[in-house]
Amino acid sequence: MHQGRKDIAPDKAFPLTMASPGTYEVADLRGGREFTGKLLSMGVQAGKRLELITTGGCGPLMVNVEGSRIALGRGIAHRILVRNELSRRNSA
Amino acid sequence: MKSTTQYARSYRDVQTHKLPTVALIGNPNVGKTSVFNALTGSHQKVGNWPGVTVEKKEGRFTYEGQQVAMVDLPGLYSLSPYSLDERIARSFISQEQPGAVVVIVDASNLERNMYLVFELMEMGVNLVVDLNFMDEAKERGIEVNSKELSRFLGVPVVETVAFRRQGIDELKKAIVESLQAPRRPRTFPFPEKMEKFLQQTEKLIEDSCHHDIQTSSCFACGECAAPNHPVIGFPVRWVAIKLLEGDLEVNGNLLSSLPEENREVFAGHLRSLRQAVQAEYQEEPEIVVAEERYAVIHGFVKEFFHSRSTVSRRMKLTDRLDRYFCHRYLGLPIFLLLMWLTFQVTFFLGEFFEESIEGAFEVMGEAVITFFGGVGIPWLGSLLGEGVLGGIGAILVFLPNIFILFLMISILEDSGYLSRGAFVMDRLMHAIGLHGKSFIPMLLGFGCSVPGVMACRTLESERDRKLTLLVVPLMSCSARLPIFLLFTSLFFSRYQGTILFTLYLVGIISAITVAWVLRKTLFKGEVAPLIMELPIYRIPSPKNVLSESWRKSYLFLRKAGTIIFLVVVLVWLFASLPVGVEYASIDSLMGKLGEFFAPLFRPLGFGFWQASVALIFGTVAKEVVVGTLGTLFGGEAGLTEALSAYFTPVSAFSFMVFSLLYIPCVATLAAIKREAGWKWVGFAMVYLTALAYLVSLAVFQIGRLLFG
């Protein structure tokens, strides 16, 4: 399977909207408390493994977090920072 | 000694002999509705209208002689006060104080689901945990030891597969037992750093309460051991968590419970505590609390559930299907194709039954008229034959169509595709100023505007919600279908399907235009972003689908039997009075009423009194338009001839467009009132009528030029 973007430095975090389908690690949530709270209650949290299923062109994205799939509007996806999961494995 | 709220509650229970109430709560897509259905069976009361789990659903069951009333709360992820659903659920638990709360947990996705469980445990409610989807969990290699879990959480835990009714008896037993012997769930310590802040907050609450010497029932006074806060009625610890989170409601309640001179000091202490949290974690306290709660849950889940984390068959299938259904280019065409198929099936299959129902009513009507004519009371024959049977028959003909449409929507919903529709439509919806989720109320609106308007509650932002509920009535509901079917079969028999599709399109395009205009004017601002869970695809259970669509169709039938029946009788009366006039002639009361309004409709192509009357009565319920025409023109048979004489294809189309767009039925207006208030009811009535008039005017005038 696709393993994220290779042209980005391993531990650099980037917005989910820039990612191509593959598996990532959530690096940070950049938003107000309502935004973060909502994502947290749905299980999206820094350090979690996240699989991007479809990038959706200019529509919403679909991700898989712990077996549940969640649709995310682009505005939201842009504020979820992820990093390549590879980097975590390498450093571990 | 009991705290005041507890005392008040038990007193009230004794007073009204109320059944013990149990609330059902859970994340979306955990099978809450099937648990509710399996528990309560046919003993359900769903507000007044069909819909998904947005209205307050109530039911009851009996287990070993103990009757229990169940209330289904809206699906939610947490008890934060952001969305309407969350506020409804939280205020139900805090104000109604149910005897027990059953929390449904998706056993195949524990970590996320446990968040709500932990929040409920913090509230100290008498909890029963239901691990649902045990089959899916097992398939994914998740082993759950429910006995151990129960011991650890301090609450009963039951395993179910509600879809197949497995474990339902055990659940009933656990509910009844927990009502008889309520338990307080275990208190979990937060990670050390957080725990320190929490204990400081608890102490602050206790101290400030202790100063209030007036309150004799104060828990800190030493007289009573109840760990609940005397005013708020929930554990002090929960109050502390909420205060740290910055929960406005709890904060307000607590402050007003303090003597006035203490309030400022208390607020000051709390503020510095929150600032300390912020400084320590470099994050807003509310987020910190949520993250720390997760940390606790994470550790707990890791300890208790041994998952080989395999991917189940259903998940693989879901992945494969989503690759097409949610594809960036294919998704939308597939969605449109499915919608088109839905309507094709609805009308194609419906037609089979139509003729036989139509024939039956015709025969009955004639028989009734002949019979009463023979016995010498022809007026009664006219009332029953022409009025009642003519009017009701004209509506009932469409029951098969309506049933099939609800059936198709239920299948789409049960299979999990419906929320993909929201996903696929999000981009388009966004472009016109609506939310991806707005699509679900709008789709429900094709069945009935009332559940459509109610389903708007799932939209978090008030602006999005109001905007959506204002355009839902433009989606052509099933009650308008009889009008379209009648006219298209008469005037467009060769292109019936196409014309029907066009009418639905007129509704959709109007909704888009109105939404776009309103977003630019009254509801300026950004659309709230989309976050929505998409369920795993499942094969719809025939029993579920059939009973849901029957339930919704039955409500249509009941409406036909009550409101519509009354209106039809009223129409007959108006058409027969004053005594001696020819039935449904221009000299009748009805004729006078219609004549008064008719000139208004002349530019639209239907400036004759019968049409005006039908439209006026149609505001009660849109089915009545056909019913009224049926009564005015003497039943099914007369109707066909009369309409052909009065309408041309162009004016028929204009009439259909007007019926589609003008004031929705009374029930929809009532729903809008409940959700948004009278102001928006008035707004909807004015703008819909103006829109209907303008569009029909354009249709008729342009159509006349084009087609002569």
Side-chain angles (χ1 to χ4, degrees), chain A residues 38 40 42 69 71 73 76, chain B residues 112 294 319 530-532 534:
Chain A
K38 175 92 190 173
L40 277 177
M42 293 182 80
R69 46 201 59 229
I76 291 214
Chain B
R112 200 203 54 210
Y294 252 120
D319 268 336
L530 174 82
I531 310 186
M532 183 180 59
L534 304 170

Side-chain angles (χ1 to χ4, degrees), chain B residues 136-255:
Chain B
E136 176 78 12
K138 278 188 187 124
E139 209 186 316
R140 278 195 212 169
I142 298 166
E143 287 160 32
V144 190
N145 185 340
S146 52
K147 279 214 187 77
E148 193 114 314
L149 181 65
S150 159
R151 199 175 47 77
F152 195 69
L153 295 178
V155 301
V157 178
V158 184
E159 299 179 12
T160 58
V161 184
F163 209 56
R164 281 192 240 122
R165 305 186 56 93
Q166 282 170 16
I168 296 302
D169 270 343
E170 288 82 346
L171 181 59
K172 284 182 183 170
K173 182 164 171 250
I175 293 172
V176 169
E177 280 173 1
S178 79
L179 282 171
Q180 282 155 359
R183 280 202 272 176
R184 189 178 278 277
R186 193 186 140 189
T187 308
F188 277 84
F190 271 76
E192 209 176 325
K193 218 163 35 162
M194 190 69 226
E195 191 60 37
K196 198 184 70 202
F197 286 116
L198 267 179
Q199 279 168 10
Q200 283 173 348
T201 317
E202 278 178 60
K203 183 152 188 318
L204 178 66
I205 298 168
E206 285 170 23
D207 288 348
S208 65
C209 186
H210 193 58
H211 289 310
D212 179 11
I213 326 157
Q214 307 309 91
T215 316
S216 58
S217 67
C218 174
F219 63 91
C221 62
E223 273 182 48
C224 48
N228 273 359
H229 190 276
V231 182
I232 296 181
F234 284 100
V236 177
R237 188 178 171 81
W238 180 77
V239 178
I241 294 170
K242 290 293 135 185
L243 288 182
L244 267 192
E245 283 181 348
D247 189 294
L248 292 174
E249 195 187 316
V250 175
N251 197 26
N253 288 349
L254 190 85
L255 279 183

Side-chain angles (χ1 to χ4, degrees), chain A residues 1 28-29 31-46 48 51 53-62 64-76 79, chain B residues 27 77-78 82 86 108-109 111-112 115 140 245-246 274 284 286-287 290-291 294-295 298 315 318-319 322-323 326-328 420 423-424 426-427 437 460 529-536:
Chain A
M1 188 186 264
D28 198 6
L29 305 176
R33 59 182 207 173
E34 195 169 331
F35 163 82
T36 317
K38 175 92 190 173
L39 282 175
L40 277 177
S41 71
M42 293 182 80
V44 181
Q45 185 187 14
K48 280 274 171 70
E51 189 194 341
I53 300 172
T54 56
T55 52
C58 47
L61 297 86
M62 194 196 286
N64 188 343
V65 179
E66 288 180 342
S68 53
R69 46 201 59 229
I70 301 170
L72 298 170
R74 296 196 82 73
I76 291 214
R79 298 191 307 196
Chain B
N27 284 186
Y77 293 101
S78 75
Y82 293 132
E86 288 164 350
S108 67
N109 191 346
E111 192 161 339
R112 200 203 54 210
Y115 193 84
R140 278 195 212 169
E245 283 181 348
R274 282 171 50 83
E284 286 215 41
E286 186 183 8
I287 295 167
E291 277 178 343
Y294 252 120
H298 185 70
M315 284 179 81
T318 300
D319 268 336
D322 273 344
R323 222 153 274 162
C326 301
H327 188 272
R328 56 201 285 195
R420 266 71 179 183
F423 177 83
V424 170
D426 185 62
R427 193 181 353 170
K437 277 193 207 165
E460 279 97 358
L530 174 82
I531 310 186
M532 183 180 59
E533 197 191 340
L534 304 170
I536 285 184

Side-chain angles (χ1 to χ4, degrees), chain B residues 305-347:
Chain B
F305 305 102
H306 312 288
S307 169
R308 284 177 276 127
S309 76
T310 47
V311 177
S312 73
R313 196 170 33 85
R314 272 199 215 97
M315 284 179 81
K316 273 189 208 142
L317 179 71
T318 300
D319 268 336
R320 211 169 312 144
L321 287 175
D322 273 344
R323 222 153 274 162
Y324 299 101
F325 286 153
C326 301
H327 188 272
R328 56 201 285 195
Y329 303 122
L330 287 177
L332 198 59
I334 293 178
F335 168 76
L336 291 177
L337 185 75
L338 280 173
M339 290 297 115
W340 182 80
L341 272 177
T342 303
F343 287 104
Q344 284 296 318
V345 170
T346 302
F347 302 124

